[in-house]
Amino acid sequence: MTASLRRLEIAVAVSLLLLGAFATWGAAEMPFGTAAMPGPGMMPMALGLLLMLSAAGLIVLELRAPATDAAVVLGNRHVALGIALIIVAGLLFERVGFIVTSTLFLFVMLASLSPLGWWRSLLAAVAASIATSYIFQNLLGVTLPPLPFVT
Amino acid sequence: MDTLQSLLQGFSVALRPDNLFYCVIGCLWGTVVGVLPGLGPLAGLTLLLPLTYQLDPASAVIMLAGIFYGAMYGGSTTSILVRIPGEAASIITCIDGHEMAKQGRAGPALMIAAIGSFIGGTVSVVGLMLFAPPLAKIMLQIGPAAEFGLMVLALLVLSFVSGGPPLKTLAMVLTGLLISTVGVDLITAYPRFTFGQIQFTEGISFVAIALGLFGVSEILINLEEIAKVKVIKPTLRSLVPRLKDLRDSAPAIGRGTVIGFIFGFIPGISHVISTFVSYAVERKLSNEPEAFGTGKIEGVAGPETANNATTGSAMIPLLVLGIPAIPATAILLSALQIHGVQPGPELMSKHPEVFWGLIASMYIGNIVLLVLNLPLVGLFVNLLRIPYVYLAPGVLLVSMIGIYSVNSNANEIVIMGIFGAIGYVLRKAKFDPAPLLLAIVLGDRMEVSLRRALTISNGDWWALAQGAMSKIFLGAIVLLAVLQGAAWFFGFRRRMIEDADKV
């Protein structure tokens, strides 16, 4: 997918503006304190306001800048798959254990990225998961979540 | 005499068999991540950081520092042989280094890069050893007001030297400072932006953010363009440079050492800038400036030396002030803090084994790298033949294991994925995520020092400008702000970037 660089920059600046607004709103509910005894709300409030100001400045600068046709490649299915798989793996990690999560993660990645085909991808994923589990748990002493129902 | 005795004590720590092993592993892993395109020192450090938690602080920092300067060494290999910089500081080496390789002189280019890196790195450690102790004595005398001024100054310098427009850098710094406020307030224990989640009471995991912003986003960007690389493979015999090569390189190595050491103090992308400055200086001083770009050995020797000479001086702000000058040293700071060691002026007195052990290990590490890099260059080159489609899933899997092992909390994998996506979009929109990361590291200290200074002065804001050190920092802040404004007004930055593009 290709996107206009300018639009992307404005989209990021708007996101920062919203983040600043959210922080300011959240900080307003915290004790502000006094000048002699600043409370926990002082810093987030100041930072939120400053972030809103700088993001607004960025938006104005981008809108006033001369138009260009600069474009950026913004993701393809590999990138989307990579992000989605990491998040799904994080959600499954403790629920189904390391071996299952790792096999699933590697299988989907290899099947979609490599020329191995799905059978060989599955075999490679299983073998790599078992080997990784052995190396990290037995050799490096890292505790990984076990398979469900296995103690 | 004290320094010599402390250094000997450091060597007794660094030469322990276990620490030697960790030093070699760090150098080896650093070289590997430096060689592999898309895995720079930062990704290399963040990937291995969680595995250091089971080590003692000295061993952990010795291994991580090995990765840091190992990656600086390794980055030159791909620049010369494939014309793909392993990391940003090796971009300039591509120009003359790869031209030399195409002319069948890859060996001398690699050898000179290794010698220059060794000299730059070693001299830089001597500088670190000499400058750090007296600076620490001065810094021990500063109060919270001056400490706040120092933090503001560090972030301002960062925005001044960072590659992007100042307003973008400022937005990233403010976002980082805001993220650092998540968690329980350090003074009142009031929960801020925790949304009732216990896991956020200590803030958002710095390691998850760093791994996401730099490690994962880098891999995602590389997944967009999976291309086969054409590798020029040198033989061991061809590594020996001619006498003329050594003669031509010697002055460039000397100048590169000085340039790199000076630039290493500056927060931001000093290691990258130092290579550009060194290249520009060599071209300016050369009798044949027009020959640069066609395989001049000075174009390899100078930048590669400068690149490695920043490693020692970049450690000075970290070890003496507790301020990481570049994202890679921010990871080192995080590693030390996790082990209960706070870098700063008291590090030398409270944890001499860590401080002097690290310095001694840097001497050893530079020798290890020289020994490793030359005979094993063929092996490292073969790493480039591993297709990225197999490398990327493996690296992502190791990242997940690494981040899980920190707190045995799988939610941090999700946070890493989210910050990976954020880092990817930020890079695409030309926002540099490095200032964000540094601001997260400095945020807590900056807030606490400001609030302490105000409490001590009973709410008098002028107290921030009292005292000699505060005045010095404030003066520097004003000077930088004026310079920044002037540079912005006259369009100096735009011209500088255009000039750099022409290089």
Side-chain angles (χ1 to χ4, degrees), chain B residues 231-413:
Chain B
V231 184
I232 298 170
K233 199 173 174 183
T235 59
L236 197 58
R237 196 182 301 165
S238 73
L239 287 172
V240 183
R242 296 175 304 198
L243 196 64
K244 185 179 181 304
D245 290 333
L246 293 170
R247 216 171 33 227
D248 291 346
S249 306
I253 288 174
R255 286 187 286 266
T257 303
V258 177
I259 291 168
F261 187 75
I262 293 169
F263 274 79
F265 284 100
I266 303 168
I269 47 172
S270 53
H271 57 304
V272 182
I273 297 172
S274 71
T275 60
F276 279 84
V277 172
S278 170
Y279 191 83
V281 167
E282 291 312 318
R283 198 167 59 171
K284 190 94 183 158
L285 294 177
S286 173
N287 294 328
E288 323 165 271
E290 68 287 349
F292 274 74
T294 61
K296 282 282 276 184
I297 201 153
E298 296 94 318
V300 176
E304 275 305 313
T305 307
N307 167 15
N308 281 271
T310 58
T311 54
S313 44
M315 290 280 187
I316 295 177
L318 171 73
L319 298 176
V320 177
L321 311 176
I323 294 176
I326 53 175
T329 52
I331 307 288
L332 288 174
L333 174 78
S334 167
L336 286 168
Q337 284 175 332
I338 286 164
H339 282 94
V341 177
Q342 178 60 49
E346 291 180 328
L347 179 68
M348 260 174 275
S349 52
K350 284 189 175 171
H351 301 279
E353 77 290 353
V354 174
F355 182 84
W356 291 103
L358 172 66
I359 288 186
S361 81
M362 287 177 82
Y363 283 111
I364 298 165
N366 275 298
I367 297 167
V368 168
L369 283 167
L370 194 67
V371 174
L372 268 184
N373 268 262
L374 297 178
L376 296 183
V377 70
L379 184 74
F380 290 131
V381 167
N382 278 329
L383 286 175
L384 291 166
R385 297 177 199 271
I386 302 173
Y388 206 74
V389 292
Y390 302 118
L391 200 64
V395 173
L396 287 176
L397 186 67
V398 173
S399 312
M400 286 193 274
I401 297 171
I403 196 68
Y404 178 78
S405 69
V406 180
N407 293 318
S408 297
N409 184 351
N411 290 335
E412 292 186 3
I413 298 176

Side-chain angles (χ1 to χ4, degrees), chain A residues 41-79:
Chain A
M42 185 199 73
M43 200 64 159
M45 171 73 80
L47 292 171
L49 289 171
L50 284 171
L51 183 59
M52 282 169 70
L53 266 177
S54 60
L58 274 173
I59 295 168
V60 171
L61 278 181
E62 284 302 328
L63 291 175
R64 287 178 63 182
T68 63
D69 52 0
V72 285
V73 178
L74 191 63
N76 55 18
R77 66 187 179 91
H78 293 155
V79 174

